Amino acid sequence: MESIVGLVITIQLQCDVVSNTEIALDIFDMTLDAPEIARVAHAGQFLHIFNDSPDMLLPRPISICAIDAESGRLRVVFRAKGAGTRLISRKTRLRALGPLGNGYDTSSMSKKILIVGGGLGVPPLLELSRRVAEPQVFLGFRDEASMILQNDFTEAETATDDGSFGFCGNAVDLARRKARDFDLIVACGPKPLLRAVAGFADEKGVPALVSVEERMACGIGACVGCVIKTKSGYRKVCVDGPVFRADEVVWDD
Amino acid sequence: MIDMSVEIAGVRFKNPVLTASGTFASGREYSEFFDLSRLGGVVVKGVSARPWEGNPPPRVAEVYGGMLNSVGLQNGGAERFLRDDLPFLRKFDTRVVVNICGHTIEEYAEVTKQLQNSDIDMLELNISCPNVSEGGMAFGTDPSMTARVVEAVAKAADKPLIVKLSPNVTDITEIARAAAGAGASALSLINTLLGMAIDAKTRRPVLANGYGGLSGPAVKPVALRMVHQTARAIDLPIIGMGGIMTGLDAAEFLLAGARAVAVGTAGFNNPTAAADVISGLENYMEESGFKTIPEIKMIYN
Ligand SMILES: Cc1cc2nc3c(=O)[nH]c(=O)nc-3n(C[C@H](O)[C@H](O)[C@H](O)COP(=O)(O)OP(=O)(O)OC[C@H]3O[C@@H](n4cnc5c(N)ncnc54)[C@H](O)[C@@H]3O)c2cc1C
Ligand SMILES: Cc1cc2nc3c(=O)[nH]c(=O)nc-3n(C[C@H](O)[C@H](O)[C@H](O)COP(=O)(O)O)c2cc1C
Ligand code: FES
């Protein structure tokens, strides 16, 4: 798959939290000082963040939202969902492993990209949008209060499920109406959205790349804990993904 | 000078720290984080005669003090292991132990034969697999079933055989004795404890498979007790494991009667865990004045 890069190098690091802002209820926008990781990270890759607390042994996978290789900083945007991400949201220093996963190979991507993001699936798409020329961006959120990052994109159209802001519906519905000519869709968000993207891409006869989630342990391909079902059998989200071709994924389960 | 080496069934290990099967694949992924030659040995992921698909996801769940897994021994089969994984692992100066699994005694014997004449140091027989011809009951929960599978594998094996015991039994020494009588050269314990996680909000099991194996620090007291019981009852070298996170944890297993240890789940929290356990154990030996591993013995009043 030419628009996906392979695992290059993985680093474990203690890093300082340079800034941390609650940008919506329970959603944190955090900047980490992680030069060794920032230098080698690609758009679409993720980090494992550890809690170093005996009741939470496993890492929390969090996507890289923006990369500044020069200043050595990484930005992550995440929701304090359960105990683990809540604890991370209060940290001033943390242990991270990364970059993990395949990510997007932006150098070999086509010129006319359609980006579709839903909710907490929006963060990993930001860095991508900066690395490709004039993408069309469509973002969807539950309601106005849970909107994030829409102003960080150079240009983005927004939908909300309840119509409290912008288009009423999801990001795929919006893209269906508004998208001009495109030859690749890149999407991240909840599974129903990704499935809809897969259908949309199929209709249009264009390929789609989707970022999927699964529970993880090692994050480096060793434990086979994080698989999803694909047409070529179970594949590991942490190394074969999180970016998969939509037509490779088996959606009906 | 501290000598950390140990001997198990005629095989010399430079130190008593191995990786636990299924947590370290065949080492490649972790070789990015430390030199595998530091390890006493690598116990590779369970290998079967033919590829196994494994269980549906979710396959892992975090629980207090550890995790549950229901990977279901997904693996590419012995042929692929010999072709793709073993040559890589052999580049390192460490012992290679191949963990084998099967659904029937015939499958166990078959994978053992496939591994004959290969460049490996030892075999580890995982008897926690369900026996499909006996209604899915795990081989390792019954002494006579244990004896039969160990005998079949020991007959086909051209390397010393470690039998890995399941903790999901009433009396582990009974199973250990059956394994010893049927040709085991060493024992390893414990495999994971069968457990379950339920999400109260969704009212569903967290793992797609429902049940899964518990590992990590939560199981250490059970593992120590079982190693201690087995060491007192059976005269075979023991590789102890279950929740080892530090060099001190490893020392506790040696004190309980193990000759070597394995590190598993800890590696998911810290990719250099196995190497850190080696340094930690060396520090413990230095501080406690131990010059060799066999000197590490418990004090009874
Ligand atoms: C590749 C990848 C990238 C992600 N990127 C982001 C991101 O940028 N922003 C964001 O807010 N969230 C992201 N997530 C989801 C995030 O990992 C979970 O919300 C988080 O792990 C929940 O942990 P918790 O302790 O708060 O919740 P709990 O529900 O208490 O967690 C319990 C256990 O389940 C695991 N878990 C729970 N939900 C998920 C999930 N959706 N995916 C994987 N494991 C889960 C946890 O890691 C933990 O081991 C990503 C997930 C993956 C797989
Ligand atoms: C994800 C995972 C996969 C495992 N796979 C195997 C396996 O293939 N064969 C086996 O004998 N034991 C397997 N085990 C059990 C471990 O080797 C070990 O016995 C157990 O996890 C206890 O050690 P720990 O607490 O250090 O992890 C697995 C454990 C985990 C967590
Ligand atoms: S998390 Fe271990 S293989 Fe993906």
Side-chain angles (χ1 to χ4, degrees), chain B residues 43-108:
Chain B
V43 183
V44 305
K45 179 175 176 44
V47 175
S48 48
R50 276 169 297 279
W52 282 8
E53 197 192 21
N55 290 322
R59 289 178 171 183
V60 293
E62 186 181 69
V63 296
Y64 204 95
M67 64 178 286
L68 294 170
N69 90 82
S70 60
V71 167
L73 298 170
Q74 178 181 337
N75 80 92
E79 231 172 81
R80 180 139 153 221
F81 165 77
L82 290 170
R83 190 189 61 220
D84 297 347
D85 297 327
L86 186 59
F88 173 81
L89 206 41
R90 267 302 172 210
K91 290 195 253 172
F92 299 90
D93 176 23
T94 189
R95 294 297 183 186
V96 176
V97 180
V98 179
N99 181 283
I100 56 170
C101 50
H103 289 128
T104 61
I105 290 181
E106 294 69 37
E107 280 183 23
Y108 274 110

Side-chain angles (χ1 to χ4, degrees), chain B residues 10 20 49 61 65 67 69 81 86 93 99 107 129 143 152 163 179 186 203 206 219 228 242 247 249-250 273 293 300:
Chain B
M67 64 178 286
N69 90 82
F81 165 77
L86 186 59
D93 176 23
N99 181 283
E107 280 183 23
C129 304
V163 175
R203 293 184 279 143
V206 177
V219 310
H228 189 253
D249 294 331
I293 296 291
Y300 292 98

Side-chain angles (χ1 to χ4, degrees), chain B residues 74-210:
Chain B
Q74 178 181 337
N75 80 92
E79 231 172 81
R80 180 139 153 221
F81 165 77
L82 290 170
R83 190 189 61 220
D84 297 347
D85 297 327
L86 186 59
F88 173 81
L89 206 41
R90 267 302 172 210
K91 290 195 253 172
F92 299 90
D93 176 23
T94 189
R95 294 297 183 186
V96 176
V97 180
V98 179
N99 181 283
I100 56 170
C101 50
H103 289 128
T104 61
I105 290 181
E106 294 69 37
E107 280 183 23
Y108 274 110
E110 192 182 342
V111 65
T112 310
K113 288 200 191 93
Q114 286 170 302
L115 294 166
Q116 281 172 354
N117 306 313
S118 64
D119 186 18
I120 64 174
D121 296 298
M122 294 182 98
L123 287 170
E124 181 181 60
L125 170 59
N126 175 6
I127 55 171
S128 297
C129 304
N131 182 347
V132 295
S133 14
E134 301 279 339
M137 183 180 166
F139 287 92
T141 56
D142 176 76
S144 69
M145 225 146 66
T146 299
R148 271 187 287 148
V149 68
V150 172
E151 201 181 306
V153 169
K155 203 155 63 181
D158 61 358
K159 300 287 180 325
L161 179 64
I162 305 164
V163 175
K164 182 164 179 181
L165 306 179
S166 162
N168 303 307
V169 295
T170 312
D171 180 1
I172 192 139
T173 63
E174 194 188 9
I175 310 288
R177 202 167 284 115
S185 316
L187 301 171
S188 58
L189 61 150
I190 60 175
N191 211 315
T192 54
L193 279 156
L194 199 58
M196 183 178 198
I198 297 173
D199 184 329
K201 283 189 193 138
T202 62
R203 293 184 279 143
R204 288 193 168 87
V206 177
L207 299 175
N209 194 49

Side-chain angles (χ1 to χ4, degrees), chain A residues 59-63 77-79 81-82 84-85 120 213-215:
Chain A
R60 299 300 184 265
I62 302 291
S63 303
V77 173
F78 63 94
R79 186 156 75 93
K81 174 184 172 254
T85 43
L120 265 312
E213 294 186 358
E214 192 44 74
R215 284 169 189 258

Side-chain angles (χ1 to χ4, degrees), chain A residues 7-12 50 52 54-60 95 97 214-218 220-229 233-234 236 253, chain B residues 22-25 29-30 32-33 45 53-67 71 74 206 216-217 245 265 268-272:
Chain A
L7 182 100
V8 196
I9 189 168
T10 320
I11 296 138
Q12 181 170 219
F50 293 91
D52 290 320
D55 58 333
M56 284 186 262
L57 229 57
L58 297 183
R60 299 300 184 265
R95 183 159 61 92
L97 178 70
E214 192 44 74
R215 284 169 189 258
M216 297 188 176
C218 72
I220 56 174
C223 75
V224 213
C226 64
V227 300
I228 59 154
K229 198 160 210 162
Y234 287 129
K236 302 168 200 165
D253 58 348
Chain B
T23 63
F24 206 74
E29 295 78 6
Y30 284 95
E32 234 192 299
F33 296 94
K45 179 175 176 44
E53 197 192 21
N55 290 322
R59 289 178 171 183
V60 293
E62 186 181 69
V63 296
Y64 204 95
M67 64 178 286
V71 167
Q74 178 181 337
V206 177
M245 302 288 285
T265 301
F268 303 152
N269 181 265
N270 166 19
T272 64

